[in-house]
Amino acid sequence: MSDVRHVLVLPDRDAAEEAAEALGERFGLDEEPRIVRDALAGEDDAEDAQWLVVLDDEDGLLDAESLDAFAGEWDGWREEP
């Protein structure tokens, strides 16, 4: 077993919530992804935040290229580990 975690960076909360729901459906996830607000350094305004969707992939079954394309559907990207 590996300890792989994928992080998708999305532009807003709505996109993160929609993407998290769609991830489970598209990739058949057993566990729902976590949504985390990541405030940019020095910013207090919610408008100046990125939203992260965090997926644990202990068995290494999720393909990085597929996740890159998936995040792009919501104008986001996948962070490299």
Side-chain angles (χ1 to χ4, degrees), residues 4-8 19-20 23-24 27 29 31-35 52-58 62 67 70 78:
V4 176
R5 178 172 290 147
H6 299 282
V7 177
L8 306 182
L23 273 166
F27 295 97
L29 303 177
E31 189 175 313
E32 187 167 326
R34 293 182 310 281
I35 299 173
L52 310 178
V53 177
V54 181
L55 304 104
D56 291 320
D57 184 20
E58 294 175 358
L62 297 172
L67 290 172
F70 179 86
R78 183 185 61 85

Side-chain angles (χ1 to χ4, degrees), residues 1 6-8 14-15 30-31 34 38 41 45 58 61 75:
M1 255 195 197
H6 299 282
V7 177
L8 306 182
D14 290 339
D30 293 332
E31 189 175 313
R34 293 182 310 281
D38 184 32
D45 188 357
E58 294 175 358
L61 300 176
D75 296 323

Side-chain angles (χ1 to χ4, degrees), residues 8 18-20 22-23 26-27 65-74:
L8 306 182
E18 289 174 21
L23 273 166
R26 186 172 305 175
F27 295 97
E65 288 182 20
S66 297
L67 290 172
D68 283 335
F70 179 86
E73 294 175 24
W74 280 272

